[in-house]
Amino acid sequence: MTCETFRQWFLDHESDEMTDAIRAHLADCEKCQQIIALDQTLEQKLHNSFEQLEVPARLQERLDQNMRGSTRWLRKSGRLRQIAAPALAIAAMLIFFLFPLASEKGSFASMDTVGQLAISDHLSHGTKGCTSSALLDLESYSLRELGYAVKPPTVPEGAKLLAAAKCQLGDCDTLHLMYSLAGKAFSVFVFPEDEADFKLAAGRSYSLDFGNHQVTLWQTGEQIQAMVI
Ligand SMILES: [Zn+2]
Ligand SMILES: [Zn+2]
């Protein structure tokens, strides 16, 4: 059993009875012991408390967000709408232990999100903020503008790089490269892989059809590249 499985059990379980697997994990995991200890203290404080305070809005928000789908905690968080100050501190600590990764999220939830934003920028970009390819040393340009070096992407043969710009897709700064091939314009957008909440398999490319446009995504090193044709 892993800590992840334990947390899942903790959030979902209906009775306080532990399975052997839970007990075995608890016996040698200090972090999960702490969760149990905090939970018991919280129960106690809730039972003993008589001085009631409003739960701060931000904590309530986190409770509501994080506890969705976990029945036992939903019930508890209902009770937490009115809570004594010591119990509040313990609840906040419990949440910290239970949802250590809840905060960090990338800018792109899915490949579809990237595709839609990329097409819309591709169609509306014009010439704003562009550096022409004649003046362009791509690696030092991207390092200066975005904080990471981008190597020239692999594009269809005969394609000519016209210009580059730093371009925002949603919340994310990307490198926008503009090409022409046989008189037709296409774009490649480059951004760090941790901006994506999805994974691309190494050496694979993924094509999405959006009516008149096609978006192809692939990963190069720690960067994701999205080509709009
Ligand atoms: Zn654990
Ligand atoms: Zn752009």
Side-chain angles (χ1 to χ4, degrees):
M1 172 172 291
T2 62
C3 296
E4 182 69 27
T5 334
F6 171 83
R7 282 201 293 270
Q8 212 47 59
W9 168 83
F10 178 83
L11 290 171
D12 294 336
H13 77 282
E14 287 296 324
S15 81
D16 281 339
E17 209 149 311
M18 291 182 192
T19 63
D20 288 345
I22 300 278
R23 245 188 290 271
H25 178 77
L26 271 179
D28 38 54
C29 182
E30 226 171 280
K31 223 173 135 192
C32 293
Q33 282 168 22
Q34 234 160 338
I35 290 175
I36 292 283
L38 280 169
D39 187 52
Q40 284 165 355
T41 321
L42 179 60
E43 285 285 337
Q44 231 166 46
K45 296 273 180 207
L46 285 171
H47 281 129
N48 300 344
S49 60
F50 46 90
E51 186 198 2
Q52 305 280 302
L53 302 170
E54 274 296 311
V55 174
R58 274 195 61 200
L59 177 60
Q60 186 64 52
E61 218 170 88
R62 279 201 76 182
L63 282 167
D64 291 343
Q65 266 172 21
N66 289 329
M67 309 298 165
R68 208 169 295 139
S70 57
T71 48
R72 180 169 175 270
W73 263 79
L74 269 177
R75 258 185 280 125
K76 193 177 267 183
S77 80
R79 268 157 68 201
L80 286 175
R81 269 170 222 292
Q82 291 269 308
I83 192 173
L88 191 58
I90 290 159
M93 272 166 78
L94 245 177
I95 289 163
F96 174 78
F97 277 108
L98 283 168
F99 306 100
L101 303 171
S103 57
E104 277 309 305
K105 277 264 182 186
S107 300
F108 304 116
S110 67
M111 289 191 230
D112 268 311
T113 319
V114 177
Q116 277 152 12
L117 291 167
I119 289 172
S120 123
D121 187 85
H122 169 74
L123 294 173
S124 66
H125 184 98
T127 55
K128 65 178 183 317
C130 284
T131 299
S132 102
S133 66
L135 307 167
L136 200 62
D137 168 353
L138 196 55
E139 289 189 47
S140 52
Y141 173 84
S142 52
L143 193 60
R144 190 174 65 242
E145 294 292 326
L146 292 146
Y148 50 89
V150 174
K151 294 207 169 78
T154 311
V155 292
E157 217 177 278
K160 190 168 168 269
L161 181 62
L162 302 174
K166 175 173 151 181
C167 231
Q168 219 181 348
L169 298 190
D171 295 333
C172 180
D173 282 333
T174 68
L175 176 68
H176 182 179
L177 300 169
M178 286 150 259
Y179 295 87
S180 79
L181 178 62
K184 222 183 150 219
F186 74 90
S187 292
V188 175
F189 295 86
V190 186
F191 55 89
E193 64 173 339
D194 56 11
E195 291 288 352
D197 294 339
F198 52 86
K199 285 270 168 255
L200 301 183
R204 289 202 59 181
S205 66
Y206 300 76
S207 287
L208 308 175
D209 253 312
F210 293 84
N212 292 332
H213 296 278
Q214 193 181 49
V215 178
T216 306
L217 293 104
W218 65 89
Q219 183 147 355
T220 302
E222 290 174 349
Q223 293 157 11
I224 291 176
Q225 309 194 330
M227 179 164 68
V228 181
I229 291 191

